[in-house]
Every structure is written in structure tokens, then in C-alpha cells.
Amino acid sequence: MKKFLNTLFLFVLSFCAFGQTQEINNLVETYAAQHQFNGTVLIQKNSKIIYYKSFGVAERAFNSPITNNTKYQVCSITKTFTAVLILQLVEQGKIDLNKKIIDYLPDYKGEAGPKVAIHQLLNHTSGMKNTDTAKDENFLKYGLGFYNRPYQLKEIVNSFCSNNLVNEPGTKFDYNNGEYMILGRILEVIYQKTFAQVLDQQILLPLGMHDSGLISHYKLIKNLATPYYKDKSLDHLIPNIPIYVEDFSAAGAMYSCTADLIKFNNALFAFKLIRKETLDQLLTPGLDQYGYSVWVRDTQKYKRMERYGRIAGANAVWFHYLNSDLSIIILSNTNLTDLGDYALKIGKAIL
């Protein structure tokens, strides 16, 4: 009788798991069809990948399909890599979060130099005038600010990230790519290497993230999807306007794939990159529910870390549910789909 009950229990568990798998499959694929999703979805629960599928076209001129090996621009997901690199140096005693920009960049000329702490760069409360002035609604006409020609990170920081203060540091949240460009430059000065070299040395190579790196217009990146953009003035998708994505540097210049990003996710939450107490700092929400490079939302059942990335048609989202060991990574090469809504619906269906 006991053996029979055990067998029945296992059968019920398997049936329930199969039922949820079918429900998730239906949800992901129905949403993809209804919202013109073009990209890759990876879902991991309790350290096991429970869904992994790609949809759509990587290069529309040749109608080449997206596969699970497709690489994408991941845009501001780069910021979490930068934050981890900074926090590694905090653990080593080489950076103090309360010290100012000028302590690490002695040649920094901006007003923020002696006034803004590293902590305030990490959580977007520096008070500096925003580096990016271009708006989505008119960038097709006027371009994306200074990204129309290539610069070294040092040049970007000196020329475009040394603006005057418009708010008292620490008092207002303002999402500013320039703050993470400054952090990237600090890494370059401390390591005496380029940001790309630091990223490789400290994270990508140790984790075996061989399909990730920094974008450059001067190198061919195999299997990199072309981003396509649509705004209200258009009735069709267009390839991104000409910009030098590498100028986003430590704030948003990475490419990656879902398989590599889940490696980063797993290493981060297993404390292989930074210690638990340091990760807790990264995940402590401040103004706008933002920690260091990520939002932390819904402190109850659905408590989760959210990280978004978007540059015109390139589109990415990474959720990690902090009470449930559930991770959702969605990468896309169009701006047609609200990836945050997509990930949220998936998370609630599973939990």
C-alpha cells in the first residue's frame, strides 16, 4: 500500500509539473504571437531551465531566423556588470562607496567631482545634468546626441559626463547613462586596462561567457541580431539609425545571449562574483525602488529584481524573483513588444 501511495504521489507531482509546463508554453507562445515578439525567451526555475525558445527573424534583409544561439545588444543590462565590477573593488578595499569621483579620477573637471559619491553614481542620484538629451519621439530626425561618432571612454567622460549639478546629490533619482560611464572610467584607471579588458578578465572569461562582450563597429560579431525600430510616425520597422553603440560603454554597450546571461545570473546569486552582504547592498532599493543598477519591486510574494535594456530597436529584460529562485531573461531585436509586461505575466503564471 505504501509503495502504491508513493507511486501515486509521484504521478500526481509529474502530472502537475506537466500541466504547468503546458500552461507556460501556451502563455509564452500566445503572447509572442499576439504582441509581435521577435527574440528569445529563457525561463529557469529552481536551477533548471524550464523554457527556452526563439521566435522571428534576426536579419530581415535575408530572412534569417533567430535561434537560441542568437546574440543581441543587451543595452543597459551592461550596468549590472559594471556595478558588480565596482563592488568587487569595494570588497578588495580599493573603492570606498562614500568617497567622491575626484578621489578616483583626479583629472575629472566637472562640478560633481568633489561632491558626488560612488554610491550616488551607482543608484542614479548624482544630481548631475543628464548626459542624454535625445528623446525617443525625435531621435529619428535629430539622432542620439553625441553617439554619432566614436569616442574613447575617457573622452566621453571629459566631454559629456562632466556636467553641472542640477540637484543636490542624493536627493533625486534621475536615470543617467553618464553616471555609469564615469564608473567605467574609474575601473579603467584602477585596473590600468580598458573597460572591455576588465569585463573580460573579471567576469566573462571566468564564467565561460564566450558569446558576450562589448560591441564595436570595427569588428564582426557572429550571430548578432540586427535591431529594428518603429515609432508612431512609421508604419513599418526600420534598421536602427546610425549610432556608435560602443559609446554607451559601461552603461550599455554589451552584447550577449540568453545562455550567457543565465550564467551571470547564476554566478551572481550563488555569490561567486560578490559576497552575499555585497549583493544585499546591490539589491537594497532606494529612490524609485532602485538599488545599484537594478530595480527591486514588490516586497511580498512577487519580490523581484528587474533590469531592463533598450536602445532604439534593441530590447532586453532580466527578472530574478528573490523569494522563489525564478529567473526570466527575454532578449529582442525590435521595440514592438513590452518585455516587462511579458516577463511579469510569465512570473505570475509560474508563481
Side-chain angles (χ1 to χ4, degrees):
M1 184 67 177
K2 184 177 180 181
K3 185 176 179 180
F4 170 77
L5 289 174
N6 286 338
T7 302
L8 180 62
F9 177 70
L10 291 173
F11 173 79
V12 170
L13 282 180
S14 298
F15 182 79
C16 290
F18 175 77
Q20 187 180 51
T21 298
Q22 286 298 107
E23 180 186 354
I24 298 308
N25 289 352
N26 292 339
L27 169 64
V28 173
E29 290 163 25
T30 299
Y31 195 101
Q34 292 177 346
H35 295 83
Q36 299 177 277
F37 175 66
N38 207 79
T40 302
V41 178
L42 185 150
I43 305 169
Q44 178 181 272
K45 182 78 171 78
N46 297 329
S47 302
K48 293 182 179 180
I49 293 174
I50 62 171
Y51 188 91
Y52 192 13
K53 189 171 179 179
S54 296
F55 305 80
V57 180
E59 172 52 72
R60 289 174 182 254
F62 297 97
N63 202 34
S64 54
I66 287 175
T67 72
N68 288 355
N69 296 320
T70 296
K71 301 168 191 171
Y72 302 83
Q73 292 176 212
V74 297
C75 312
S76 285
I77 288 178
T78 307
K79 289 183 175 68
T80 304
F81 287 79
T82 301
V84 168
L85 291 169
I86 290 289
L87 291 172
Q88 287 178 340
L89 292 179
V90 171
E91 290 185 344
Q92 296 168 29
K94 295 179 180 178
I95 286 181
D96 182 330
L97 291 173
N98 295 311
K99 286 194 173 181
K100 312 302 183 188
I101 295 171
I102 202 74
D103 293 315
Y104 302 102
L105 295 181
D107 59 349
Y108 184 83
K109 304 300 183 188
E111 181 187 358
K115 298 180 180 181
V116 171
I118 305 306
H119 161 77
Q120 292 161 342
L121 296 175
L122 284 164
N123 66 10
H124 292 307
T125 62
S126 71
M128 282 189 288
K129 182 181 177 182
N130 206 296
T131 298
D132 295 324
T133 57
K135 304 295 183 184
D136 275 1
E137 57 267 25
N138 59 21
F139 88 84
L140 286 180
K141 185 175 181 180
Y142 299 109
L144 268 179
F146 65 82
Y147 303 104
N148 62 346
R149 57 158 287 191
Y151 295 94
Q152 297 297 313
L153 184 53
K154 182 177 181 180
E155 295 178 285
I156 292 173
V157 169
N158 289 342
S159 299
F160 308 110
C161 307
S162 300
N163 297 325
N164 292 335
L165 295 175
V166 294
N167 296 296
E168 181 69 22
T171 64
K172 185 177 179 181
F173 176 87
D174 183 25
Y175 190 87
N176 185 347
N177 280 315
E179 293 157 330
Y180 273 75
M181 293 167 179
I182 294 169
L183 291 169
R185 180 62 187 149
I186 289 170
L187 290 165
E188 290 189 335
V189 169
I190 291 176
Y191 277 100
Q192 289 296 291
K193 295 180 178 179
T194 67
F195 177 73
Q197 290 170 330
V198 176
L199 180 65
D200 279 345
Q201 171 188 307
Q202 296 298 120
I203 298 179
L204 302 186
L205 293 177
L207 295 186
M209 295 178 64
H210 301 301
D211 292 317
S212 303
L214 286 192
I215 287 174
S216 169
H217 277 68
Y218 302 106
K219 67 179 180 182
L220 178 66
I221 300 170
K222 187 177 180 182
N223 293 328
L224 181 66
T226 299
Y228 296 90
Y229 178 79
K230 183 182 181 300
D231 75 0
K232 293 177 182 178
S233 68
L234 300 168
D235 61 1
H236 59 282
L237 287 164
I238 61 168
N240 273 357
I241 61 170
I243 56 173
Y244 286 87
V245 177
E246 54 261 54
D247 285 349
F248 284 92
S249 189
M254 281 186 67
Y255 68 88
S256 190
C257 61
T258 49
D260 268 9
L261 288 179
I262 200 66
K263 291 178 184 178
F264 179 64
N265 175 95
N266 293 345
L268 182 63
F269 289 100
F271 319 121
K272 293 179 180 178
L273 292 169
I274 52 177
R275 296 192 290 263
K276 181 183 184 302
E277 55 268 30
T278 310
L279 179 60
D280 288 343
Q281 282 184 286
L282 184 146
L283 295 171
T284 299
L287 297 178
D288 198 56
Q289 301 178 292
Y290 197 81
Y292 292 162
S293 81
V294 297
W295 284 268
V296 178
R297 293 189 167 125
D298 196 339
T299 57
Q300 302 305 315
K301 179 179 179 181
Y302 300 112
K303 184 179 181 182
R304 63 195 175 276
M305 179 211 80
E306 299 179 1
R307 177 65 260 181
Y308 302 88
R310 184 167 62 88
I311 301 173
N315 201 2
V317 70
W318 166 31
F319 279 17
H320 179 77
Y321 285 78
L322 297 166
N323 297 330
S324 306
D325 190 20
L326 170 65
S327 303
I328 301 166
I329 297 169
I330 308 176
L331 304 180
S332 177
N333 65 332
T334 82
N335 67 322
L336 296 175
T337 310
D338 182 342
L339 299 190
D341 180 66
Y342 200 1
L344 193 60
K345 282 182 167 56
I346 292 169
K348 287 188 175 181
I350 293 173
L351 299 177

